[in-house]
Amino acid sequence: MIDFVVLVLLTIITASTPLVFAAIGEIVVEKAGVLNLGVEGMMIVGAIGAFAVAVTTGDATLAILAGALSGLVLAFIFGFLTLYLLSNQVATGLALTLFGIGFSALLGNGFVGQTYGGLPHLDIPILSDLPIVGQLIFGQDILVYLSVVSAIGVTWFLGRTRWGLAVRAVGENHDAAHSIGFSVALIRMGAVLFGGAMAGLGGAYLSLAHTPLWVENMTAGRGWIALALVVFASWKPWRAFFGAYLFGGITIIQLHAQGFGLDVPSQILSMLPYLATIVVLVLISRDDSRLRLSAPACLGRSFHASG
Amino acid sequence: MKRFNKLASLTAVALATATMAMSGGAQAQSDPLKVGFVYVGPIGDHGWSYEHNQGRLALEKEFGDKVQTTFVEKVPEGADAQRVINQLATSGHDLIFTTSFGYMNPTLRVAKNHPDVHFEHATGFKRDKNVATYSGRFYEGRHVAGLIAGKMTKTNTIGYVASFPIPEVIRGINAVAIAARSVNPDVKIKVVWVSSWFDPGKEADAAKTMIDQGVDIIMQHTDSPAPIQVAESRGVWAVGQASNMSAFGSKAHLTAIIDNWSPYYVARTKAVLDKTWDSTDTWGGFKSGMVQMAPYNEAIPADVVALAETARKGIIDGSVHPFAGPIKDQSGKIVVPAGEVASDGMLLGMDFYVEGVDGKIPN
């Protein structure tokens, strides 16, 4: 029984990790006042970038870097268009997703049908041999650890560092931030690039660890789920982390319920991850005044110094 | 919000792809027959849409510059599909293949407004003067796969990654259950619905879930090769869907049920060229070559391969029927008496599980 629970938890971790990356990245972007709806596009380009490098070089580290870099390059396009050419963020973000899906299909043409052995697990000596928690906590691959570290790191960065304060200032009131000497465009660009790299890592996790293969459209809407998580988590990294695991957890548990032949219509079970995640996150963020405080006031608004 | 966004993005993708595909070659000298294809997945899915696209390529090979083909991939079922089909019809296509069940009503609606265009809808059951339907008797392939699975399982549990509870999918599950239990009466079928035709991550999770619950053979009625890969990494068996998926797990891949649309597409295009096209209903199986089996895994014992081949040949010569009575439903009630076989009508409207399948059909 314990073994079975461990297996279930392991599946939940793999289902949740891509969402953690994408959501944590987007939180930083949105905290800086930029709404990038291109998460899905950056994820899928990250997925093919990582997979292509993994298959050609066989080097997992290079592959992960390539995934992050692919997302980052796409994010740079978005940042350049919206922050320097002041294009509409919503439209540009949507276009980025469309472009990402199509471009990844083009890049991935030669990689359809290829397989990759999967990311190596970093078994921490001694600890990974412990019963139950051994494999669960100390026997994961590097990206799972990185996703946890990034959630903690971003919480610390946004809340406790000077640069985190600058990011938030730019997102709350870009005119004020500009007037005290911050370069709004530069700080936002940094946040956008970080978000792109994180979305790329989320995609890389999909194509390297979750389902180590390349098929077109393999992100299948996870970027949109991450975007929704950010809003329902009221821009708090730890809540988004929790939300991602809640979503992943219920997704897996409902599959198990079906496998055991539970007498509940599968449509309701399929709906459950979405429903439960929204309800729970809305409940924990229901305080109205606090919600207003956490939503970046300049979210989605373009800034120009002359303006 | 997520659904809306996804829908919006898919709409835009569909429209963008449609425009791109169409601007591809609108000008040609000798007025070739324009044939359009609408796919539900990407042509790189290595499953359903991939095989339809192989059929399209076969057309180009067969007819050369007498035909000009267009395809639009990743078209979501529903309102977007109607826009895409309509655009194909208005841009001079004479023959349009709409290759997913959910395109049924959109195809019929567009066909009403374009009486001169020939439509072919895959897996549907509604026809019109200018709408023909076609599908494969995939259950014949599933019968053969079920026999092999029944012989190969050690835990006597077969897992089935299913998409949507439509008769086509339920028929496949039942065909496997009947065949597997005919060689191994202790077999149970576990079904997990992922509510999608194509979501590699979710399909993989469903496969992992069932393996964790003791399944040692994974079958699927979804289109990505992810379940095969999971089976390979977990050391259990799997049966490929729609095309040969052995590249994704050569050890796990027992066989696959291959959809071969090329002969049908060639015949139907020829009919339009010869002006003999008629609204027909085609349901082809092993006999017409529309359904084929991928090479059997070398690890399958010779007697099991012989069993599978006997069944396949029997289906071709009519001596074997995958739904031969007596067939009982889950409650033990006889639905097909001994000595009879299920009618095509019953197969097409199948909405019950047979004995040996766990759980209930979602409704």
Side-chain angles (χ1 to χ4, degrees), chain B residues 183-205:
Chain B
V183 294
N184 180 353
D186 298 327
V187 166
K188 288 262 179 239
I189 316 279
K190 270 186 195 292
V191 184
V192 167
W193 301 91
V194 295
S195 304
S196 170
W197 287 111
F198 184 82
D199 182 340
K202 211 164 173 195
E203 292 169 48
D205 288 341

Side-chain angles (χ1 to χ4, degrees), chain A residues 98 210 212 216 256 258-259 270, chain B residues 13 42 190 193 195 205 213 229:
Chain A
L98 299 181
H210 191 180
E216 281 178 38
H256 272 287
Q258 285 195 51
S270 303
Chain B
V13 174
K190 270 186 195 292
W193 301 91
S195 304
D205 288 341
Q213 292 186 5
Q229 206 178 33

